[in-house]
Every structure is written in C-alpha cells, then in structure tokens.
Amino acid sequence: MERNFNKGDIVQHFKRETMTEEQLEKEPNLYLYEIIGIARNTETNEKVMVYKPLYPTECINGVDFVVRPIDMFISETDHTKYPNITQKYRFELYK
C-alpha cells in the first residue's frame, strides 16, 4: 500500500468527523497532526510515521513527537467498527 505524505504536511485523523461544531470551535486543531517524517526502528527494521499532534493531548505529555507503524498510519479506516465515518483512510491530508 503506497500513500505518500511529506514532511510538514498536515493530516487529519478520521475521528475528526465525529467532533461537533462546538468542539471544533473550541479546539480548531482537534485531530490534526503535522508530519515530521518516516523513521526506521534499528532493532526491528520496522518503519514508523513520526508526527506531532497540533492540539493538547495526553499522548504528547513529556515527549515531542508520537509514532505509529507506517502500515497502520496509511491503512483504511475500519468501516465495520466505525460505519458512520466517510473518510476512507485513517489519516488523510487536511484540506
């Protein structure tokens, strides 16, 4: 599965669709992330996407960036688990 994101791209997680207008008005960057780049785990050789949340979140406490396995990052949204989500992929470029 090939999907390209570039350093500096802003992407949105599919859960942004579940936010109300009021929530997005209060926190306009909710579920938005800046792509830092792709890294490789030197022990396992696994590729990971390095990215930074653009909103306050507990996952960033004490660290500068977060990572997710590249295959998971570029995967399609689980429409069985989230049937009302229209976004095709877990993360997509923010428009």
Side-chain angles (χ1 to χ4, degrees):
M1 180 185 311
E2 185 66 31
R3 295 188 56 235
N4 295 318
F5 293 108
N6 298 304
K7 182 179 179 179
D9 282 350
I10 304 300
V11 296
Q12 67 181 17
H13 189 273
F14 72 85
K15 287 185 179 175
R16 187 171 169 86
E17 278 186 35
T18 66
M19 300 297 99
T20 65
E21 287 184 32
E22 292 80 22
Q23 288 172 310
L24 291 174
E25 187 174 307
K26 184 177 179 182
E27 184 53 67
N29 289 339
L30 203 56
Y31 290 111
L32 294 180
Y33 305 86
E34 178 184 358
I35 299 294
I36 304 304
I38 296 174
R40 184 179 305 275
N41 182 318
T42 59
E43 299 297 320
T44 65
N45 215 28
E46 177 185 36
K47 282 184 174 181
V48 294
M49 180 64 78
V50 182
Y51 57 108
K52 180 178 183 173
L54 298 179
Y55 63 98
T57 176
E58 66 280 350
C59 76
I60 199 80
N61 286 342
V63 298
D64 296 322
F65 309 110
V66 292
V67 300
R68 186 181 296 247
I70 192 75
D71 290 340
M72 181 186 288
F73 192 88
I74 64 173
S75 69
E76 286 195 28
T77 301
D78 182 345
H79 291 288
T80 302
K81 188 174 179 180
Y82 301 98
N84 297 325
I85 297 295
T86 61
Q87 185 167 305
K88 182 173 181 176
Y89 296 102
R90 182 184 300 263
F91 289 91
E92 293 184 1
L93 282 175
Y94 178 65
K95 297 173 173 72

